[in-house]
Amino acid sequence: MTVHFYTATSLDGFIATSDHSHEWLFKQDFDEEGPMNYHEFIGGIGALVMGSSTYEWLRAAEEQWPYTQPVFVLSSRELVLPEAADVRLVRGKVDQLCGEILEAAGGADVWVVGGGDVAGQFADAGLLDEIWLQFAPVTLGSGQPLLPRNLDLELLEVTRNRAFVCAHYRVLRDKPSAPLSSVVA
């Protein structure tokens, strides 16, 4: 089991505008079947984790809930949940929630969706394993930061998908952490 942060970013390190818009991203030239594409990535995902801003943006942007996997939404407030979908509102620190998330993933990987702060919480807990970035050919000047943490990374793969530079990294840790499978046991 691997915990991934898979996202697109502007060249100046923002994943959304200050008002959480992603419209800038959808104007870019990206091959949906090209290297490091979403369809191949999501095939190995057993559970997703997101913050409330990402969740609310998805609810507003999508007519139907787009995921069949269990989704954990980190939120301190009540949110309206989609019917007939496995969406769970959770509170607490990610290291305390990780066992439940990994169990729901059923041996598959976990995707930290959207919010850089949520990915940062996983990194702080030593639970973020890999980061997948698609760098869009645009700058935003301000907005929601990609990953507001100080991390050391090892580049595993880099490729081009039309106008995007795509990079896949491993998160390096100062001290070895327990394998994720031991959290579920």
Side-chain angles (χ1 to χ4, degrees), residues 40-67:
E40 287 181 22
F41 175 80
I42 194 72
I45 300 300
L48 296 82
V49 181
M50 63 184 67
S52 57
S53 294
T54 300
Y55 173 77
E56 289 176 315
W57 180 85
L58 270 169
R59 290 298 309 265
E62 301 286 339
E63 274 187 45
Q64 294 184 336
W65 186 246
Y67 303 112

Side-chain angles (χ1 to χ4, degrees), residues 26-171:
F26 302 120
K27 295 189 271 184
Q28 307 304 317
D29 184 22
F30 189 81
D31 181 356
E32 296 293 329
E33 302 301 320
M36 292 193 199
N37 72 71
Y38 167 82
H39 302 293
E40 287 181 22
F41 175 80
I42 194 72
I45 300 300
L48 296 82
V49 181
M50 63 184 67
S52 57
S53 294
T54 300
Y55 173 77
E56 289 176 315
W57 180 85
L58 270 169
R59 290 298 309 265
E62 301 286 339
E63 274 187 45
Q64 294 184 336
W65 186 246
Y67 303 112
T68 57
Q69 301 92 330
V71 176
F72 293 81
V73 180
L74 303 177
S75 181
S76 59
R77 55 197 165 89
E78 293 301 317
L79 299 169
V80 176
L81 301 179
E83 293 185 29
D86 188 356
V87 178
R88 308 169 194 189
L89 290 179
V90 293
R91 290 178 175 87
K93 297 185 178 203
V94 295
D95 57 342
Q96 298 165 340
L97 301 168
C98 198
E100 180 183 355
I101 294 167
L102 294 174
E103 186 175 323
D109 292 348
V110 174
W111 176 21
V112 178
V113 181
D117 186 60
V118 174
Q121 291 175 48
F122 275 84
D124 292 346
L127 298 170
L128 184 62
D129 299 305
E130 295 183 357
I131 300 173
W132 299 68
L133 298 175
Q134 286 76 32
F135 293 94
V138 64
T139 58
L140 300 178
S142 66
Q144 304 300 316
L146 168 65
L147 189 56
R149 298 298 193 276
N150 183 2
L151 296 175
D152 290 321
L153 307 171
E154 174 189 0
L155 181 64
L156 299 175
E157 178 183 6
V158 66
T159 190
R160 178 181 181 175
N161 185 320
R162 293 192 182 156
F164 285 71
V165 173
C166 305
H168 176 197
Y169 299 92
R170 176 180 298 122
V171 176

